[in-house]
Amino acid sequence: MKFFLDTASLKDISWAAQAGLIDGITTNPSLLSKQAGDLDPRDVLKEICSLVDGPVSAEVVAVDTDGMVTEGKELAKIAENIVVKIPMIEAGMVAVRRLAADGIRTNVTLCFSFIGRLDDVGQEGMDVIREARTIFDNYNIETEILAASIRHPRHVVEAAMIGADVATLPPDVLKKLLMDPLTDRGLDQFLADWNKLVARAKAAV
Ligand code: G3P
């Protein structure tokens, strides 16, 4: 399973890319709005595309087909690794087909709802991924499944067990995957033991 960092934060993207932990980026209008401030969001996207080799999702804000296609074509010009993100509404389905016919890569968002957003309202969000995986496999559908709205490391593990192609995870979840109190405790013990050895060696001189 690939990891796409779900953020527009240049700081987080830069760190994760340099650590070789991510395969791409997903953004949405909310995330870009937070990062861009007074900047042109296209400049932020350009910068993100320069930081990562993999796909960078950029979402259209138009809600009619022609508008989505026009916006999608403009977004695709920002960089070769832009993937145009289209909301799962009727107009969006036509837009995906038209953009794909022009050789522009797309992904579809707000499908059924998201894992965390379903969990938030007391449903089992991961069922969406489980059902999609089974259906796509039954019919050899090549489209990749992006598990979105990941809230914690356990979601990442479950998505991987089910066979999602990508987990789009926020930076805090990526960092949580790297953290474990047992690691910290073990490291503290190793260093304490090592310091005893150093102290013994010094005392013996
Ligand atoms: O782009 C959609 C995705 O980021 C949703 O995640 O955490 O806002 O539910 P979240």
Side-chain angles (χ1 to χ4, degrees):
M1 185 173 69
K2 288 173 275 190
F3 282 180
F4 289 180
L5 205 60
D6 191 36
T7 186
S9 159
L10 299 175
K11 185 166 164 262
D12 287 329
I13 292 169
S14 194
W15 166 76
Q18 281 176 38
L21 294 173
I22 51 169
D23 304 288
I25 300 294
T26 46
T27 69
N28 60 38
S30 306
L31 293 170
L32 269 174
S33 163
K34 201 156 59 171
Q35 171 67 33
D38 295 334
L39 300 173
D40 183 334
R42 283 169 301 188
D43 290 338
V44 177
L45 284 166
K46 196 169 190 171
E47 176 92 28
I48 293 173
C49 288
S50 72
L51 293 172
V52 292
D53 294 329
V56 174
S57 292
E59 186 166 342
V60 298
V61 288
V63 289
D64 64 291
T65 300
D66 287 342
M68 288 180 186
V69 171
T70 304
E71 211 185 317
K73 286 181 179 172
E74 285 304 312
L75 287 168
K77 283 184 200 158
I78 292 175
E80 279 190 358
N81 47 341
I82 285 281
V83 175
V84 177
K85 193 170 171 184
I86 303 281
M88 179 72 171
I89 55 176
E90 277 185 49
M93 297 302 90
V94 184
V96 165
R97 194 133 192 252
R98 279 174 47 188
L99 288 166
D102 272 359
I104 293 173
R105 289 186 295 165
T106 57
N107 75 41
V108 178
T109 187
L110 294 162
C111 301
F112 319 119
S113 196
F114 295 118
I115 299 170
R117 292 187 187 198
L118 281 171
D119 285 359
D120 289 343
V121 294
Q123 297 185 40
E124 182 51 66
M126 203 54 75
D127 282 350
V128 174
I129 305 300
R130 196 170 288 110
E131 289 170 5
R133 181 74 280 160
T134 301
I135 293 165
F136 281 28
D137 289 348
N138 284 349
Y139 298 100
N140 293 322
I141 294 168
E142 286 181 13
T143 302
E144 287 187 314
I145 297 170
L146 279 69
S149 197
I150 299 274
R151 293 274 187 273
H152 48 72
R154 196 64 215 160
H155 274 157
V156 180
V157 174
E158 286 172 25
M161 294 288 290
I162 291 167
D165 298 288
V166 177
T168 76
L169 47 154
D172 72 302
V173 176
L174 182 64
K175 285 174 187 164
K176 279 180 189 159
L177 283 169
L178 299 174
M179 287 188 308
D180 193 303
L182 290 177
T183 306
D184 295 341
R185 203 185 304 165
L187 186 57
D188 286 349
Q189 185 66 53
F190 288 156
L191 294 180
D193 291 343
W194 187 256
N195 287 336
K196 279 185 215 159
L197 179 151
V198 172
R200 277 201 310 271
K202 272 189 189 156
V205 173

